């Protein structure tokens, strides 16, 4: 089995949340705040949703859609926000613009601005991701497989979400390492195509493991 | 002594390893916690669990308490009440004495560490005596509704810190320093939450004179209007028309007039109905609370209070569905229709109790979901992880 030119280092993370002094009590305030909050807050409430979301609860895709559905009870806006796939946006500013446009267009068709319950104010936050090296480093695909199977789920977030969306590594770390260090281009492309939207980190882990297992069983693939 | 490894079988997979790796990186850092006391809920309960664990992991962590005279504690108690939104009178000379006692405390304390975490109100003015190190104010209560006049005094103190930490974003106030968010947590290995055998539960409930011959509804909490125990009795009465259930209200009684009135009304209700059991327990009755929660069929937390009471998380950890009132801290714990129900009225509570009793499979399903929700979000391991991450963020 081929050894990598550089070992793969699994990194887990802890999300340290920071409250911003920005709040929205109704949908117009949501739109106004969306325009002015730091890009890190847009990231926290969209991409970060996948780090926090558990399969136990209803999936809304992002915190804004959840707020519209649960606190404002505006299912139409919730649905329109929920389908925004943050992974399809070129950058956080494009994502911000898409969210603002959706709320703006929605409000244009309404006579009154829908408001949240008094206890349901939306509080904007951002996060600081503290990364931690985990487990032994992998130098072969088999070692990578073993490492991935046992590593904390936050590592999937670091390598598949954070790397692509915020750290300027659009292929994600798994695919990039397989292509650059193992020369496994076909496997790298398959991993790149994994849809991280509207799922959870464990499912993404299972899909990567499935593809790696297949590659290990059929070395030519 | 409980060690971090002991949490491996209860915490989500991988969490203990991340804590170990992160603390390894921070080894040699010195942390000082300062609080107003060593006993009670909130800061003291959390520090008594986390400080020994952090020391065991190689972080030099001290926990000191500040002293003061009766006037000092009367002022800090009133100040905290005002910051939580209660009307009290705070005289200027009392606030001056508060600052003076902290000046005296500063001389007695060794305030050298890489991170100095000041908890709640009593030691907050120590910031005036800061040396090196990063200073963090950890607020364990909801400070969002306090009087503006008093907040303008207290906020000036907090703005001298490097950061503040609140339990929820909505608990904070406008500050010029970064505000981090760390939820409180329960310790699954503490006497209040550790596993009990069915025999232990039966023995403890027997000693409390609580029979196990019928479905048990339970609310744990101080007998105060904020916890609405009389509303719980009324909900029980609506349910009792259809189900032979028993209601246990367990808690401590405050000395204020309102709480004494509530307790008198509860005793009256219990006098007329043998299936209403009012248990006045001392604050250290952790094992009894544990057994009651484990013996319960459905747990209620019909609070109308602010703050972040953890009794819902404690009950959910024991696999019980929770019917809760509306409150920011409770809403974080109880996922409506998944781990229990959030209700807005006595009738709503009664309806949901009947719904669960009519559908016992839901009780098991919601109980299991609640336990998993607490495992991910409200165990001390998660709290430790975020606290260590904050330490890394502030010092690296």
């Amino acid at each position: 089995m081929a050894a990598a030119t550089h070992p793969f280092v699994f990194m887990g993370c802890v999300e340290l949340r920071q409250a911003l002094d920005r709040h929205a009590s109704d949908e117009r305030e949501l739109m106004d705040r969306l325009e002015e909050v730091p890009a890190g807050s847009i990231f926290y409430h969209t991409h970060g949703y996948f780090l926090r979301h558990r399969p136990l609860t209803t999936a809304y895709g992002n915190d804004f859609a959840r707020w519209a559905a649960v606190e404002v009870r505006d299912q139409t806006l919730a649905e329109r926000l929920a389908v925004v796939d943050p992974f399809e946006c070129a950058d956080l500013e494009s994502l911000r613009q898409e969210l603002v446009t959706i709320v703006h267009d929605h409000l244009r068709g309404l006579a009154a601005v829908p408001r949240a319950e008094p206890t349901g104010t939306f509080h904007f936050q951002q996060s600081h991701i503290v990364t931690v090296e985990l487990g032994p480093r992998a130098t072969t695909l088999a070692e990578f497989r073993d490492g991935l199977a046992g590593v904390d789920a936050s590592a999937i977030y670091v390598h598949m979400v954070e790397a692509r969306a915020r750290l300027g590594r659009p292929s994600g770390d798994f695919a990039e390492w397989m292509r650059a260090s193992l020369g496994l281009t076909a496997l790298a492309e398959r991993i790149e195509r994994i849809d991280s939207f509207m799922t959870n980190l464990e499912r993404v882990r299972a899909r990567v493991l499935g593809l790696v297992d297949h590659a290990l069983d059929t070395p030519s693939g | 002594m409980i060690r971090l490894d002991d949490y491996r079988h209860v915490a989500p997979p991988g969490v203990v390893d991340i804590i170990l790796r992160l603390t390894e990186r921070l080894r040699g850092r010195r942390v000082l916690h300062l609080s107003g006391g060593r006993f009670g809920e909130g800061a003291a309960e959390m520090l008594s669990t986390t400080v020994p664990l952090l020391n065991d992991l190689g972080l030099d962590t001290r926990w000191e308490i500040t002293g003061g005279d009766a006037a000092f504690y009367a002022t800090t108690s009133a100040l905290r009440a005002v910051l939580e939104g209660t009307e009290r009178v705070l005289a200027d000379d009392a606030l001056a004495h508060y600052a003076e006692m902290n000046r005296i405390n500063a001389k007695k304390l060794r305030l050298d560490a890489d991170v100095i975490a000041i908890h709640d109100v009593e030691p907050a003015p120590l910031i005036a005596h800061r040396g090196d190190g990063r200073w963090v104010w950890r607020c364990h209560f909801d400070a969002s509704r306090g009087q503006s006049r008093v907040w303008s005094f207290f906020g000036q103190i907090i703005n001298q810190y490097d950061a503040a930490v609140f339990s929820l974003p909505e608990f904070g106030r406008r500050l010029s320093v970064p505000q981090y968010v760390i939820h409180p947590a329960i310790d699954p290995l503490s006497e209040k939450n550790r596993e009990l055998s069915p025999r232990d539960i039966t023995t403890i409930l027997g000693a409390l004179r609580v029979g196990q011959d019928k479905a048990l509804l339970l609310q744990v909490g101080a007998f105060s209007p904020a916890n609405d125990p009389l509303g719980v009795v009324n909900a029980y009465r609506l349910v009792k028309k259809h189900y032979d259930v028993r209601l246990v209200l367990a808690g401590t009684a405050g000395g204020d007039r309102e709480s004494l009135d509530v307790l008198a009304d509860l005793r009256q209700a219990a006098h007329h109905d043998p299936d209403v059991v009012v248990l006045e327990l001392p604050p250290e009755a952790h094992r009894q609370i544990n057994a009651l929660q484990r013996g319960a069929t459905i747990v209620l937390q019909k609070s109308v209070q602010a703050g972040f009471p953890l009794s819902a998380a404690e009950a959910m950890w024991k696999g019980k569905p929770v019917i809760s009132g509306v409150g920011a801290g409770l809403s974080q714990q109880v996922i409506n229709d998944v781990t229990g129900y959030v209700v807005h009225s006595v009738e709503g509570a009664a309806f949901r109790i009947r719904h669960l009793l009519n559908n016992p499979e839901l009780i098991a399903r919601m109980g299991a979901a609640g336990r998993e929700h607490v495992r991910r979000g409200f165990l001390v391991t998660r709290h430790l992880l975020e606290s260590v991450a904050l330490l890394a963020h502030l010092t690296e």
Side-chain angles (χ1 to χ4, degrees):
Chain A
M1 186 175 293
T5 50
H6 298 288
F8 189 86
V9 182
F10 287 100
M11 302 293 290
C13 75
V14 188
E15 185 185 49
L16 185 61
R17 286 165 292 169
Q18 183 184 345
L20 302 172
D21 193 21
R22 297 283 186 280
H23 319 280
S25 301
D26 63 39
E27 291 179 358
R28 185 173 302 282
E29 286 180 7
L30 177 73
M31 183 178 72
D32 293 343
R33 299 293 95 76
L34 277 169
E35 285 183 308
E36 67 190 35
V37 292
S41 183
I42 303 289
F43 180 88
Y44 172 85
H45 292 295
T46 52
H47 297 85
Y49 181 85
F50 299 101
L51 182 61
R52 296 184 300 277
H53 175 66
R54 306 293 170 211
L56 211 64
T57 54
T58 308
Y60 292 99
N62 59 64
D63 291 336
F64 307 119
R66 187 199 164 277
W67 179 73
V70 177
E71 307 296 351
V72 187
R73 300 183 190 183
D74 182 344
Q75 299 304 326
T76 308
L77 180 62
E79 287 170 10
R80 288 173 178 164
L81 289 170
V83 295
V84 176
D85 181 349
F87 299 98
E88 282 187 354
C89 292
D91 53 38
L92 290 171
E93 289 310 318
S94 322
L95 177 56
R96 182 203 301 273
Q97 275 319 308
E98 186 165 351
L99 293 166
V100 169
T101 303
I102 287 170
V103 183
H104 178 264
D105 290 352
H106 177 72
L107 285 173
R108 261 200 326 204
L110 299 178
V113 178
R115 196 171 178 80
E117 297 282 325
T119 53
T121 300
F122 189 93
H123 299 274
F124 282 85
Q125 298 181 61
Q126 65 181 11
S127 64
H128 302 272
I129 299 293
V130 178
T131 54
V132 195
E133 185 177 333
L134 298 174
R137 296 173 172 208
T139 53
T140 66
L141 190 59
E143 286 176 6
F144 174 86
R145 196 246 175 251
D146 290 345
L148 180 64
V151 85
D152 181 68
S154 67
I156 317 294
Y157 179 80
V158 170
H159 297 299
M160 292 288 282
V161 178
E162 184 87 3
R164 294 159 92 167
R166 198 146 66 161
L167 301 177
R169 303 195 288 264
S171 299
D173 293 337
F174 298 153
E176 188 53 40
W177 180 72
M178 283 165 197
R179 184 183 291 114
S181 290
L182 292 177
L184 298 171
T185 310
L187 177 60
E189 282 172 6
R190 285 186 203 114
I191 289 175
E192 260 176 1
R193 283 200 295 271
I194 290 176
D195 183 8
S196 300
F197 182 56
M198 291 308 293
T199 181
N200 63 64
L201 297 173
E202 288 303 339
R203 291 233 169 87
V204 174
R205 185 205 308 260
R207 284 179 197 158
V208 178
L209 283 174
L211 291 171
V212 170
D213 283 343
H214 186 259
L216 285 167
D217 289 344
T218 52
S220 58
Chain B
M1 180 188 156
I2 294 173
R3 310 193 67 164
L4 186 64
D5 264 343
D6 298 329
Y7 290 89
R8 280 189 190 277
H9 71 285
V10 286
V15 168
V16 167
D17 288 322
I18 295 193
I19 296 171
L20 286 171
R21 293 276 177 159
L22 204 47
T23 47
E24 212 173 274
R25 203 164 90 194
L26 298 169
R27 196 157 284 165
R29 299 278 204 291
R30 296 163 306 143
V31 182
L32 170 62
H33 290 278
L34 276 155
S35 69
R38 285 205 192 278
F39 303 103
E41 294 180 338
E45 191 172 12
M46 192 48 58
L47 290 170
S48 60
T49 301
T50 54
V51 169
L53 287 172
L54 289 169
N55 275 308
D56 192 39
L57 292 171
L59 288 179
D60 178 0
T61 310
R62 287 186 292 138
W63 174 20
E64 305 277 1
I65 55 168
T66 52
D69 55 17
F72 170 75
Y73 286 112
T75 301
T76 56
S77 171
L79 180 56
R80 163 130 180 196
V82 171
L83 291 171
E84 288 185 285
T86 308
E87 285 297 327
R88 295 275 177 89
V89 177
L90 274 167
D92 287 346
D93 58 342
L95 294 176
H97 184 63
Y98 168 56
E100 173 61 15
M101 287 305 303
N102 271 287
R103 193 182 62 76
I104 295 167
N105 280 325
K107 284 185 180 170
K108 295 180 191 165
L109 293 163
R110 194 158 51 87
L111 297 173
D112 60 327
D114 297 302
V115 171
I116 296 96
I118 302 291
H119 296 262
D120 290 337
V121 172
E122 288 92 341
L126 283 173
I127 185 68
H129 309 277
R130 70 178 296 172
D132 292 337
R134 308 277 283 165
W135 284 63
V136 178
W137 184 58
R138 176 53 163 118
C139 179
H140 295 267
F141 57 90
D142 179 355
S144 65
R145 297 176 309 157
Q147 287 175 16
S148 300
R149 188 180 59 81
V150 173
W151 183 257
S152 64
F153 157 78
F154 196 71
Q156 282 177 26
I157 297 174
I158 304 310
N159 278 331
Q160 297 172 53
Y161 281 78
D162 295 304
V165 180
F166 292 92
S167 296
L168 281 175
E170 49 265 55
F171 285 3
R173 296 290 288 251
R174 187 179 287 266
L175 289 170
S176 61
V177 299
Q179 300 182 38
Y180 298 99
V181 179
I182 299 181
H183 296 334
I186 64 164
D187 181 0
L189 304 185
S190 70
E191 197 167 31
K192 204 194 273 183
N193 298 306
R194 70 171 64 127
E195 293 295 326
L196 289 176
S197 69
R199 179 184 289 185
D200 285 342
I201 296 169
T202 301
T203 305
I204 297 167
L205 294 189
L208 293 171
R209 297 174 189 268
V210 174
Q212 290 179 283
D213 53 324
K214 52 186 80 171
L216 180 64
L217 311 178
L218 172 72
Q219 173 157 298
V220 175
F223 301 124
S224 67
N227 285 323
D228 195 19
L230 293 169
V232 171
V233 171
N234 288 333
Y236 152 83
R237 283 175 175 154
L238 291 173
V239 174
K240 188 75 173 175
K241 292 178 190 168
H242 307 275
Y243 281 96
D244 186 19
V245 292
R246 177 172 291 122
L247 171 67
V248 173
L249 295 154
T252 50
D256 58 288
R257 177 69 179 271
E258 276 186 318
S259 297
L260 292 173
D261 287 348
V262 168
L263 186 56
D265 287 348
L266 290 175
R267 284 194 177 128
Q268 179 116 5
H271 181 69
H272 293 294
D273 183 345
D275 279 334
V276 176
V277 181
V278 179
L279 293 173
E280 213 181 326
L281 298 172
E284 65 276 12
H286 300 311
R287 201 168 152 79
Q288 285 90 337
I289 297 294
N290 189 344
L292 284 166
Q293 287 170 329
R294 289 183 188 280
T297 312
I298 298 166
V299 172
L300 293 108
Q301 192 59 55
K302 216 189 138 324
S303 306
V304 287
Q305 63 186 351
F308 213 123
L310 283 165
S311 43
E314 287 167 10
M316 284 154 60
W317 179 244
K318 287 143 193 151
K320 307 299 171 183
V322 174
I323 296 175
S324 86
V326 182
L330 282 171
S331 303
Q332 292 292 319
Q333 295 169 70
V334 180
I335 307 172
N336 192 38
D337 219 15
V338 178
T339 68
Y341 296 104
V342 177
V343 297
H344 300 76
S345 62
V346 166
E347 292 78 9
F351 173 73
R352 290 306 180 187
I353 295 167
R354 283 180 65 189
H355 179 63
L356 285 170
L357 292 172
N358 267 330
N359 298 276
E361 73 284 356
L362 263 183
I363 293 177
R365 197 198 310 157
M366 286 186 160
R371 186 170 164 89
E372 278 315 299
H373 180 50
V374 172
R375 190 193 306 282
R376 299 276 168 188
F378 296 100
L379 292 191
V380 70
T381 38
R382 193 265 317 141
H383 187 277
L384 202 58
L385 187 62
E386 292 179 1
S387 302
V388 176
L390 177 62
L391 177 62
H393 179 67
L394 290 173
T395 59
E396 286 186 332

